[in-house]
Structure formats: C-alpha cells, structure tokens
Amino acid sequence: LWAEREVRAASERFVRGLITLPDDSIAAYHRAGACIHDLLESLRAAELSGLPANEVAAAVRDVHALAARSALISHIQRWPHGHPGDFEAIESLIEGTVRTRDPAGRALEQHLLLSPIAARYRTQLGWQLDHLMNLPFQPMSRVLLIGSGAGIAPARLTSLLTRSVSRLVLNDGDGVALTLARHRLSALGEALVTVEGDVFRRVVEIAGHAPYDLILAVNAYDGLPDRQAAWLTARLSGMLGPQGRLLVTYVAKGSAYGPWMRHILGWEPVERDREEIVLLFGHALRNGDLTWEADPGGLAWGVTYTLGEGASSTSTRETL
C-alpha cells in the first residue's frame, strides 16, 4: 500500500508542477525535469516492492494523459516501439526538434529530446554510420539492415553506398517505412532490396541474399525474449561471410529511465547485462569475436560480432 500511495502522491505533484509552469521556457524545462525525476524515484521503489503493473498504471493515469499533450509522446504512446509507425518517433528523437505548442507538453517534449532516451538513438545512428563508412570499396559489399525502418542511416550515406555496396537489403514490418526508404535510397537502383514482414517469417528470403559483409540489427532486439533473441542471433551470424560484421544493440539493464519508458511511454524493453548478451551468441563465438560499446547515457549496449577470417557462414550454421 505504501508504494501505491507514494506513486499517487508523486503523480499529483507531477500534475500540479506541470499545470503551473513558469512563463520562462528554461525554467519550465527544469521544472519538468524535476517532476520527472521525482516520479521516477517513486516508480522505481514501486517496481522493487513488486507493485503490479496494472496498479502502477492506475496510479499514473493522470501523468500519462498529461504527457500526451506532447505531440511526440502522444505518438509514442499510440505506436510504441516495435509497432508500425515507431520509425517516425525514432527519427524525431534523433532530429531533436520540439514541435508542441502546449506549454506542459512542450516542456516534457523538450526534456525527452534532451534525455538519455533520445541520446541513445543518436548514438546508435552513429554506430551504424561508422560501420557503413568502413565498408570496403573493392570488392563491393553486401549489407543487411534488420528492423531498418525508413533507412535513416544508409540514406545519409547514399553517394558512398552507391560506390561500395552491390546489395543493400532492408527488412522491416512497416510497409510505410520501407516505401519511404525506397524513395530515399532510389539512387541505389537494383542494388536495393526490401523485404517487408516479420524477420522470423522472412528469414529464408533474407538468407537468400547472403553472405553479408555487414548486418545491422539496431533496436530489433529491444522487445525479444531470450529464446527468440538467441534464435535470431544464430541465424544472422550464420549469414555472414569471412570477416563479416554483425552489429546488435540491446537495452542496458538498470536504466534510470526504465520506469518512464515502461509506465509513461508504453515501451516494454527487455533489459540485459553483458553476461546475458554473451549467452545469446552461443556457439557462434567458436568462430568469431565480440567487441563492446556503451552509449554515454547508459541506456544501450552496441555489440559487434566479427566472423573469423578462416571461418565461413556455412561453417557457422553447421555449428549452431
């Protein structure tokens, strides 16, 4: 009972603080930040106490509604991460432009765009760009993006990729996102291939374009339970050619913003530590190595699996 009371009290303070914002935009931003951190403390305590998610949801109902005054947060709540339409929210988080006019919504949106949540996506975009820029020009490379969205990363390097990629395969469950990607990457011509649908159902078609020199699976693992994540890791690592690279990103365990994502934004990310991530690679580690990166906000791991020079995608599949 005490945990529920604490969350309700923090929710009431949150609402009072946001509907009586100071006129100064900087002061309003800091007020929003203070209200968010106050609420996060009570949400963390409630989760540790074992308060059921439905009771937490009831206690923060007014906060959830107030946060929806932000156009960006409202969009995220209606199309959470992993659902069609989430690519628009991700691109907005990367772009960082505040579009909401409502004072409370604007202050919350501004805080979100400057938070580790948004910083994570900018960092992950940087990781993708680094991998794409390090592709060899000769021989030309084959690249696969799982959960590609609208292809924001390759779209920033179109002129480079036209000279370094013989095949670029984009997979996503959102047909609208892939249509936009085809428009953005039209300069690649027949080198561009899009595969619409769930990766688990389309894996045979995707594997038909292997071996790949680079596979980018960014955000694709955010909501996957261990069994599905391990299965997908085995299949993707088995599609690599010698010295091919697989970049996978994961939500880091213990994020301070985890309760905000779960209870206000409506995301249900699967958080993992290093040991849990290593287990997902299983027998693939016999033929390759892992390198690690962490985003500065502590929300994400970037893990690159590199197939050994003497190994091949066929031998990797046989060991799995």
Side-chain angles (χ1 to χ4, degrees), residues 250-255 270-273 295 298-301:
Y250 305 88
V251 179
K253 183 167 283 188
S255 163
V270 178
E271 299 179 347
R272 294 184 168 97
D273 58 26
D295 83 300
L299 274 178
W301 291 108

Side-chain angles (χ1 to χ4, degrees), residues 187-204:
L188 272 69
E190 294 183 357
L192 178 66
V193 176
T194 58
V195 180
E196 182 180 347
D198 183 279
V199 62
F200 294 95
R201 296 180 181 275
R202 306 305 296 273
V203 69
V204 173

Side-chain angles (χ1 to χ4, degrees), residues 221-233:
Y221 283 62
D222 288 5
L224 294 183
D226 287 350
R227 184 175 179 179
Q228 289 183 324
W231 186 93
L232 183 58
T233 301

